[in-house]
């Protein structure tokens, strides 16, 4: 739909325009009329029309003056001049002032509608062009960060040479291509906890907020673009186009990292690379990453250069000590295996230094050890997948402050050793009841009806429930509830966790249902239990 106004001091002329125009055909609404140029300017501002009919000779303000002012304010409108003067000078003035047509009085229907048709074509073309430009701009706004991320990622991971230069020009100012840049790499140590507790498991919102905060904090040094490394969810990479080439060699990244910790509750470590040109960003990234890999994960500071030997030098491979853990398990003594594991972790901590690269190497060895044990005890394919999947979710390629790492290792291996020892005590394979018990201990937050295990182990529900009851003197459902409530008590003692969060962690999606179940089991509501713990 289009909107038009008529500006003419002659009422018969205004009526003629209204009567002769095929307005419905062209989708035009005559919104208002004025009888002089001054009033016409007021209407123009109020109505913002697409099409304006204006007389050349009017009192107070004539057509030429009106067009000059109107075009300066509303250049996107189309102006059709209607005049009683068949004079070339008037027509030229009108055209120079920006009108798209010049019609003579008395107005003929054919001439009017032909002029209206031409004007509508111009208006429609302008609208389509603006729409296209708007869509293109929206696309550029949406795609530019993705293109930047793709280009920067290809440079730092060396997945291709700098053949994206044309794409880069499209999203960066040309000056940036020759400017000095610096890369800062952040390793996030507790991202999953922050995503769960502060962002309600919305990882996209977390990374969006964090990268925007990094961009803003580092903008003091120059235009910054940061992104999550697609190969590592715990790594944020910031590329800074330095605004001052004489900037000090080292930024105050510890101070800025502390601000991120304060705002998001995220624990992180960070290092920066040297200043480089855009095509050598990979070198700055590699240098920053090497510095991070040398970080002491006990103190979260660079390993001391005054040490006589490298922090990880002389550390025996975990696999060299594997028999200290595997032999007690094979003999059914999981307590001895757990004791040896704790002792080994304490020895690592007492040494005072273990680098990030050393921690990642230990994780590889631990995973290999777990795979070896699963094969030795002939665990079935599904059980093996479950245990290795749990390891990968909690330990594989993850970096932690060492006390958290130690706790994560023990949380994984203590129940794992227990299940394996029970397997050894009962023969080559664990009984079905023991397998169910171990599965519940790993997956207590899931819905586990007896029918699930009956299908898994190809037994009737009744027979399976009887086997479990005979073995442990408790039903399958009751045992899962016992595990859930034990975990709930443990987490309720942490006042920083909301009751809804505790509820979800132990498998209850409805907090009210959880509260009723907890009270039925313990005699106290979660709030009462937490209050009793504090008193």
């Amino acid at each position: 739909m289009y909107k038009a106004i008529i500006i003419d001091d002659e009422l018969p002329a205004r009526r003629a325009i209204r009567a002769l125009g095929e307005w419905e055909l062209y989708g035009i609404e005559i919104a208002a009329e004025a009888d002089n140029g001054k009033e016409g300017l007021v209407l123009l501002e109020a109505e913002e029309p697409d099409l304006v009919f204006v007389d050349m000779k009017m009192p107070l303000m004539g057509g030429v003056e009106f067009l000059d002012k109107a075009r300066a304010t509303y250049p996107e409108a189309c102006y059709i001049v209607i005049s009683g003067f068949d004079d070339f000078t008037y027509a030229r003035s009108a055209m120079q002032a920006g009108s798209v047509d010049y019609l003579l009085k008395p107005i003929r229907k054919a001439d009017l509608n032909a002029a209206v048709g031409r004007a509508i074509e111009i208006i429609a073309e302008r609208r389509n062009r603006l729409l296209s430009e708007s869509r293109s701009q929206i696309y550029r706004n949406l795609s530019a960060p993705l293109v930047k991320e793709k280009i920067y990622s290809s440079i730092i991971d060396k997945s291709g040479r700098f053949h994206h230069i044309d794409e880069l020009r499209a999203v960066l100012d040309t000056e940036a291509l020759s400017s000095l840049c610096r890369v800062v790499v952040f390793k996030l140590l507790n991202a999953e906890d922050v995503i769960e507790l502060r962002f309600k498991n919305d990882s996209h919102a977390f990374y969006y907020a964090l990268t925007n905060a990094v961009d803003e904090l580092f903008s003091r040094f120059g235009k910054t673009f940061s992104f999550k490394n697609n190969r590592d969810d715990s790594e944020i990479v910031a590329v800074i186009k330095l605004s001052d080439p004489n900037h000090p060699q080292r930024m105050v990244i510890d101070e800025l990292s502390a601000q991120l910790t304060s705002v998001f509750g995220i624990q992180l470590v960070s290092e920066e690379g040297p200043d480089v040109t855009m095509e050598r960003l990979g070198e700055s990234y590699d240098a920053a990453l090497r510095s991070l890999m040398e970080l002491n994960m006990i103190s979260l500071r660079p390993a001391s250069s005054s040490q006589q030997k490298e922090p990880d030098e002389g550390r025996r491979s975990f696999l060299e000590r594997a028999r200290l853990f595997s032999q007690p398990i094979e003999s059914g003594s999981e307590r001895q295996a757990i004791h040896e594991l704790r002792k080994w972790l304490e020895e690592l901590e007492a040494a005072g230094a273990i680098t990030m690269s050393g921690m990642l190497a230990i994780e590889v060895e631990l995973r290999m050890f777990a795979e070896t044990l699963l094969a030795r005890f002939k665990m079935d394919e599904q059980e093996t997948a479950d245990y290795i999947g749990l390891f990968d979710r909690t330990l594989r390629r993850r970096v932690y402050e060492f006390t958290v790492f130690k706790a994560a290792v023990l949380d994984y291996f203590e129940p794992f050793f227990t299940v394996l020892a029970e397997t050894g005590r009962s023969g080559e394979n664990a009984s079905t009841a023991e397998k169910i018990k171990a599965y519940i201990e790993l997956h207590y937050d899931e819905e586990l009806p007896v029918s699930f295990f009956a299908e898994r182990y190809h037994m009737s529900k009744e027979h399976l429930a009887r086997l479990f009851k005979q073995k442990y003197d408790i039903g399958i459902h009751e045992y899962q509830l016992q595990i859930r409530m034990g975990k709930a008590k443990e987490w309720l003692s942490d006042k920083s966790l909301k009751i809804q969060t505790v509820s979800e962690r132990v498998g209850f999606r409805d907090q009210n249902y959880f509260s009723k179940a907890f009270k039925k089991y313990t005699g106290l509501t979660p709030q009462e239990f937490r209050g009793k713990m504090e008193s």
Side-chain angles (χ1 to χ4, degrees), residues 147-165 168 172 177 181 183 227 231 237 239 276-286:
V147 174
K148 279 187 185 179
E149 183 177 328
K150 172 188 169 186
I151 296 166
Y152 287 144
S153 295
S154 76
I155 296 170
I156 66 173
D157 67 15
K158 302 176 183 63
S159 61
R161 290 188 59 79
F162 200 60
H163 56 278
H164 304 288
I165 189 71
L168 197 58
L172 296 178
L177 298 176
C181 300
V183 173
F227 57 96
R231 297 173 301 161
V237 181
V239 178
V276 293
T277 54
M278 185 67 69
E279 65 269 19
R280 295 175 59 200
L281 278 178
E283 296 175 22
S284 187
Y285 169 80
D286 289 343

Side-chain angles (χ1 to χ4, degrees), residues 318-319 322 325-326 329-330 361-381 383-392 395-397 412-413 416-417 420:
F318 175 84
L319 295 178
F325 315 111
S326 59
I329 295 171
E330 289 170 352
I362 288 172
E363 290 172 3
V364 172
E365 294 176 342
L366 289 172
R367 192 177 192 275
M368 292 172 63
F369 177 61
E371 289 175 328
T372 300
L373 288 177
L374 288 165
R376 183 176 299 172
F377 282 84
K378 299 179 181 179
M379 307 298 275
D380 65 38
E381 185 176 335
E383 289 170 322
T384 298
D386 288 341
Y387 278 112
I388 295 302
L390 179 61
F391 185 97
D392 289 347
L395 284 166
R396 190 180 186 187
R397 291 198 294 269
Y412 176 81
F413 278 100
F416 182 50
F417 284 174
L420 293 177

Side-chain angles (χ1 to χ4, degrees), residues 432 436 449-468 476:
T432 301
I436 292 172
V450 176
S451 58
F452 168 82
F453 294 109
E455 183 177 345
R456 185 183 178 99
Y457 296 109
H458 309 289
M459 295 182 182
S460 70
K461 291 188 292 185
E462 294 76 12
H463 181 58
L464 200 63
R466 186 166 58 253
L467 280 179
F468 193 90
I476 291 174

Side-chain angles (χ1 to χ4, degrees), residues 341-469:
L341 181 63
R342 285 182 178 275
K343 181 180 174 182
W344 171 73
L345 288 166
E346 287 165 2
E347 287 174 2
L348 285 179
E349 190 170 18
I354 179 168
T355 64
M356 186 180 294
S357 60
M359 181 176 287
L360 293 171
I362 288 172
E363 290 172 3
V364 172
E365 294 176 342
L366 289 172
R367 192 177 192 275
M368 292 172 63
F369 177 61
E371 289 175 328
T372 300
L373 288 177
L374 288 165
R376 183 176 299 172
F377 282 84
K378 299 179 181 179
M379 307 298 275
D380 65 38
E381 185 176 335
Q382 184 60 53
E383 289 170 322
T384 298
D386 288 341
Y387 278 112
I388 295 302
L390 179 61
F391 185 97
D392 289 347
R393 289 193 299 275
T394 56
L395 284 166
R396 190 180 186 187
R397 291 198 294 269
R398 301 286 297 277
V399 289
Y400 298 100
E401 186 272 327
F402 188 79
T403 56
V404 179
F405 171 75
K406 181 169 67 173
V409 171
L410 291 171
D411 284 348
Y412 176 81
F413 278 100
E414 285 185 357
F416 182 50
F417 284 174
T418 300
V419 169
L420 293 177
E422 288 181 356
T423 300
R425 286 193 291 268
S426 62
E428 287 190 350
N429 295 299
S431 71
T432 301
E434 289 168 336
K435 291 180 179 180
I436 292 172
K437 179 175 179 288
Y439 192 94
I440 290 173
E441 289 168 352
L442 277 174
H443 303 274
Y444 57 85
D445 59 333
E446 300 173 6
E447 292 300 323
L448 299 175
V450 176
S451 58
F452 168 82
F453 294 109
E455 183 177 345
R456 185 183 178 99
Y457 296 109
H458 309 289
M459 295 182 182
S460 70
K461 291 188 292 185
E462 294 76 12
H463 181 58
L464 200 63
R466 186 166 58 253
L467 280 179
F468 193 90
K469 182 79 171 178

Side-chain angles (χ1 to χ4, degrees), residues 16 45 50 68 113 121 133 159 164 170 187 198 207 237 255 284 297 299 350-351 365-366 432 487 490 510:
E45 182 177 359
D50 302 291
D68 286 339
N113 287 298
E121 286 181 5
E133 290 173 354
S159 61
H164 304 288
K187 284 288 186 180
R198 294 202 174 194
Y207 287 112
V237 181
E255 173 192 329
S284 187
M297 299 309 293
S299 64
E365 294 176 342
L366 289 172
T432 301
K487 290 290 183 180
E490 178 182 334
D510 186 326

Side-chain angles (χ1 to χ4, degrees), residues 244-260:
D244 180 4
N246 298 315
H247 195 276
Q249 284 298 305
R250 182 166 177 81
M251 298 175 182
V252 286
I253 58 173
D254 291 341
E255 173 192 329
L256 299 180
S257 296
Q259 292 183 49
L260 293 172

Side-chain angles (χ1 to χ4, degrees), residues 80 173 185 263 269 349 379 415 422 425 473 479 488 513 528:
I80 296 177
D173 52 285
V185 180
V263 172
V269 289
E349 190 170 18
M379 307 298 275
E422 288 181 356
R425 286 193 291 268
D473 198 30
Y479 183 69
Y513 182 56
E528 291 169 344

Side-chain angles (χ1 to χ4, degrees), residues 44 129 140 169 173 188 224 300 306 315 475 524:
L44 194 65
R129 185 174 66 251
R140 284 194 296 272
R169 282 197 183 97
D173 52 285
L188 313 180
T224 302
L300 297 185
S306 63
R315 178 180 61 81
L524 300 169

